[in-house]
Amino acid sequence: MTGYVCKYTPVEIIRAFGEEVCRIEPEVKSVERAMSLTHPNMCSFMKATLEEVIEKNINEIILVNCCDSIRRLYDILKGRVKFIHIIDLPRKMTESAYSLFHRELLHFIGAYEAYTGKKFDLDKFKEILAEYKMQNAHTSECVAVLGARLNHEVIENIKKRCNLDVVNLTCTGTNRLSKVDQEDDLIFSYAKALLNSSPCMRMAEDRLNFLDDFNLKGIIYNTIKFCDFYSFEYASLKNSSNIPILKIETDYSDSNSGQVLTRVDAFLESIGAKKSTAHPVKSGYFAGIDSGSTSTNVVIIDENKNIISYSIVPTGARALESAREAYRIALKKANLKEEDIAYAVSTGYGRISIPFSDKSVTEITCHGRGAFYLDRGVRTVIDIGGQDSKVIRLDDTGNVTDFVMNDKCSAGTGRFLEVMARALEVSIEDMAREITDFKEDIVISSMCTVFAESEVISLIARNKDKNDIIRGLHRSAASRAVSLLDRIGRCGKYMMTGGVAKNRGVVSEIQHRIGEQIIIPFEPQIVGALGAALIAAGEK
């Protein structure tokens, strides 16, 4: 079995030798051994591939030098496996490029003949090429997955969530090989056809022109951690195209993480491409359950969209039990029974695990819906919860038009402030007060929660005033929120939701930085659950 990673790999030539080929799709959860062989800041896909090769004992590998990381992978594996060969990939599609790639393929055939002891079977090669069928053009509306490669499981999850066709235009897609002219020099024609596949980002040609062949409703653009190439292309596409586009980042250890799938769901909801079970607007009572990382919140409304009751309980270690308890409390406050609820919608990271909800919707859509209900002038929602931060842009009808989320780091979130409160030995209520009597401007330079905690401990050891430290932490949290806001663009009115909206110090610092007042709801923690309840009631 010969492993490969790049779509420009001549797999048909390998098959003509009678050998099996397998595209390496890393499924590792840890890159411990790979980290000992390469630099920590190398491409996460390269490290995952290296770990996969070691773990599965893959001893025959064909690489294409599509980037410096793959060249480094070749250097590491050379001498560690039985056979490894790297093919030089031209960066253009010209006659000289075709000739160069043709020579590379001939060189590979010679090297593979020497390794296997077999002769290249040209007739078998012709038979394999004859099996190839051109991909049909997509004329119906579709969502494209573009950018860096994504594993099969993530693509399938996107397809399950989308009510339109999903076209995989990454290097793992099926649109790999254009038609090969078998009447000329066959290897040369094959080289030309490979180079004319839907182009990789590494190609110097303007590869985005091929998007005109598709009727795109939206684009999900994947980037890989520590790889700048795709981030540059995403920025160019975002600025030049009016097609809705979502950027996600994966590192091959958590491609199906809750954060990635939340972003995908929210994007599909915003463009009307999310699969859902429609329900008629009913009379009665409606519930929204927001199962978050820190708290679980429930809101019950009546058919006139009036809030009847709500509850907030800590999520704890068992999300389902917390959801049941919050639901029980909200029902008791409303003097209702579970059978009185006509329809329930769940949201938050635990939304898919709530068995008594009829439908799940992302918290991005729900916070937007809840904020717009509370104030129809709101156009930007800043939601800072227990483990993540989001900025959500709304249109004049309250629909989500764009959003950004923080990465895995918890800096600036509720968890960040809780950790700092423990380090300072103050209550979370004391941590939430606005500091006006400060003596010194302290800057918390570390963005990572762990390093920031060490920085705070160092400041305590230097006898710095606690009020000054708290203000520095408020400024640090505010800077994270404003950086997210600036990624999406500033546009008022502003509303802040989530537990951190109760922190007067953070709110004040954000207001100072953006020069605008921020609306704080009467209970900012329930806005997501309120939005879910409105969706349950069929609110448009």
Side-chain angles (χ1 to χ4, degrees):
M1 179 71 73
T2 301
Y4 73 98
V5 297
C6 178
K7 71 177 182 179
Y8 293 108
T9 305
V11 294
E12 291 78 13
I13 289 178
I14 301 170
R15 289 179 56 203
F17 277 94
E19 300 288 337
E20 294 184 5
V21 291
C22 176
R23 187 174 66 209
I24 299 173
E25 292 293 347
E27 298 176 348
V28 296
K29 297 298 182 184
S30 168
V31 291
E32 180 180 349
R33 286 166 292 190
M35 288 285 283
S36 67
L37 296 172
T38 187
H39 192 277
N41 284 353
M42 289 297 290
C43 163
S44 57
F45 170 71
M46 175 271 205
K47 288 185 289 190
T49 300
L50 177 56
E51 190 76 23
E52 189 89 353
V53 168
I54 296 170
E55 185 174 295
K56 295 189 176 178
N57 196 28
I58 302 173
N59 276 309
E60 298 174 7
I61 301 168
I62 313 298
L63 299 174
V64 175
N65 72 332
C66 47
C67 69
D68 290 340
S69 292
I70 296 300
R71 166 63 73 174
R72 180 63 180 140
L73 178 63
Y74 171 79
D75 293 338
I76 293 170
L77 290 175
K78 191 175 182 180
R80 295 176 182 269
V81 295
K82 292 180 181 178
F83 177 79
I84 187 167
H85 186 92
I86 189 165
I87 295 172
D88 191 20
L89 179 70
R91 296 299 192 266
K92 295 185 177 181
M93 288 176 279
T94 62
E95 287 301 318
S96 59
Y98 300 148
S99 297
L100 173 62
F101 198 46
H102 174 229
R103 290 195 298 272
E104 285 293 308
L105 296 187
L106 292 177
H107 180 216
F108 166 68
I109 289 172
Y112 208 61
E113 284 180 335
Y115 168 70
T116 61
K118 300 178 182 179
K119 295 296 291 182
F120 174 64
D121 190 334
L122 187 61
D123 292 332
K124 179 69 173 176
F125 184 55
K126 290 179 180 179
E127 291 176 9
I128 292 168
L129 292 180
E131 297 171 1
Y132 179 78
K133 295 181 180 179
M134 294 292 290
Q135 299 296 314
N136 295 326
H138 285 262
T139 56
S140 59
E141 279 192 328
C142 59
V143 171
V145 181
L146 197 62
R149 61 192 295 144
L150 270 173
N151 65 42
H152 176 74
E153 186 179 0
V154 181
I155 297 291
E156 289 304 307
N157 258 328
I158 293 173
K159 289 179 178 178
K160 289 176 183 176
R161 288 167 153 74
C162 186
N163 59 22
L164 301 175
D165 288 339
V166 175
V167 184
N168 182 2
L169 298 179
T170 71
C171 2
T172 60
T174 56
N175 190 18
R176 173 181 163 270
L177 186 64
S178 62
K179 186 172 177 61
V180 180
D181 186 354
Q182 297 209 24
E183 295 182 1
D184 297 325
D185 181 332
L186 188 56
I187 302 298
F188 183 86
S189 296
Y190 175 70
K192 185 174 181 179
L194 262 184
L195 284 184
N196 279 281
S197 303
S198 55
C200 167
M201 171 62 197
R202 310 299 178 181
M203 304 299 287
E205 304 291 332
D206 182 7
R207 81 187 197 101
L208 296 179
N209 288 336
F210 78 97
L211 293 179
D212 295 337
D213 298 334
F214 300 90
N215 184 9
L216 294 180
K217 183 80 177 286
I219 296 172
I220 298 174
Y221 197 101
N222 179 46
T223 58
I224 294 180
K225 196 171 184 180
F226 301 122
C227 177
D228 288 333
F229 286 93
Y230 288 97
S231 294
F232 283 122
E233 184 181 62
Y234 161 79
S236 174
L237 185 60
K238 179 84 171 176
N239 292 332
S240 62
S241 173
N242 57 4
I243 301 171
I245 181 169
L246 166 71
K247 178 186 175 184
I248 59 176
E249 182 184 70
T250 55
D251 65 0
Y252 284 85
S253 64
D254 66 340
S255 298
N256 268 326
S257 71
Q259 228 185 37
V260 169
L261 296 182
T262 291
R263 295 182 190 201
V264 169
D265 282 348
F267 177 70
L268 296 178
E269 287 166 1
S270 69
I271 64 174
K274 178 73 167 65
K275 281 184 180 176
S276 63
T277 53
H279 69 281
V281 177
K282 303 176 183 179
S283 60
Y285 298 96
F286 306 91
I289 306 106
D290 182 0
S291 178
S293 61
T294 303
S295 67
T296 300
N297 318 306
V298 172
V299 170
I300 296 175
I301 63 175
D302 63 19
E303 60 190 66
N304 296 317
K305 318 299 188 299
N306 298 311
I307 298 175
I308 304 302
S309 72
Y310 64 86
S311 64
I312 301 171
V313 303
T315 296
R318 292 180 173 85
L320 179 55
E321 289 184 11
S322 300
R324 290 192 186 280
E325 177 64 9
Y327 198 37
R328 183 192 67 77
I329 293 171
L331 287 169
K332 184 177 180 180
K333 284 183 178 180
N335 196 25
L336 296 172
K337 298 179 180 178
E338 191 168 337
E339 52 266 30
D340 295 325
I341 303 300
Y343 206 85
V345 168
S346 58
T347 189
Y349 278 102
R351 63 187 180 275
I352 61 174
S353 304
I354 309 297
F356 47 88
S357 73
D358 299 291
K359 177 182 178 180
S360 64
V361 178
T362 65
E363 58 269 35
I364 292 167
T365 297
C366 289
H367 274 271
R369 188 66 58 86
F372 190 76
Y373 171 82
L374 293 173
D375 189 322
R376 293 187 175 270
V378 169
R379 294 296 174 269
T380 302
V381 181
I382 302 171
D383 172 44
I384 307 180
Q387 75 173 10
D388 65 23
S389 305
K390 315 174 192 71
V391 177
I392 306 163
R393 174 61 41 74
L394 305 178
D395 63 15
D396 293 343
T397 60
N399 291 318
V400 175
T401 59
D402 204 356
F403 66 91
V404 289
M405 291 177 66
N406 69 328
D407 52 25
K408 293 179 183 177
C409 180
S410 64
T413 65
R415 190 72 69 196
F416 170 82
L417 295 171
E418 286 178 7
V419 170
M420 300 310 146
R422 285 199 297 270
L424 288 166
E425 296 182 346
V426 300
S427 67
I428 197 67
E429 291 76 20
D430 195 32
M431 188 76 174
R433 62 191 171 89
E434 183 178 356
I435 306 297
T436 56
D437 55 341
F438 61 91
K439 303 171 184 175
E440 181 183 355
D441 275 331
I442 290 180
V443 176
I444 307 297
S445 57
S446 300
M447 301 307 286
C448 169
T449 299
V450 175
F451 293 148
E453 182 182 18
S454 298
E455 194 171 346
V456 166
I457 291 171
S458 176
L459 290 168
I460 294 171
R462 289 158 53 193
N463 293 317
K464 295 294 182 179
D465 189 272
K466 281 188 178 181
N467 282 353
D468 295 344
I469 297 174
I470 291 172
R471 180 171 179 267
L473 290 167
H474 290 166
R475 296 171 70 188
S476 177
S479 70
R480 296 284 287 187
V482 174
S483 67
L484 282 179
L485 176 61
D486 286 339
R487 281 170 55 188
I488 203 173
R490 300 185 185 186
C491 179
K493 285 180 167 180
Y494 298 90
M495 179 180 286
M496 192 165 168
T497 64
V500 177
K502 296 180 176 181
N503 186 305
R504 297 188 302 279
V506 173
V507 174
S508 177
E509 289 293 338
I510 296 175
Q511 289 180 151
H512 175 72
R513 286 172 179 265
I514 66 176
E516 299 280 353
Q517 285 295 117
I518 297 175
I519 300 166
I520 305 298
F522 69 95
E523 179 46 82
Q525 282 185 264
I526 68 166
V527 175
L530 172 60
L534 292 167
I535 292 170
E539 170 76 2
K540 300 299 182 185

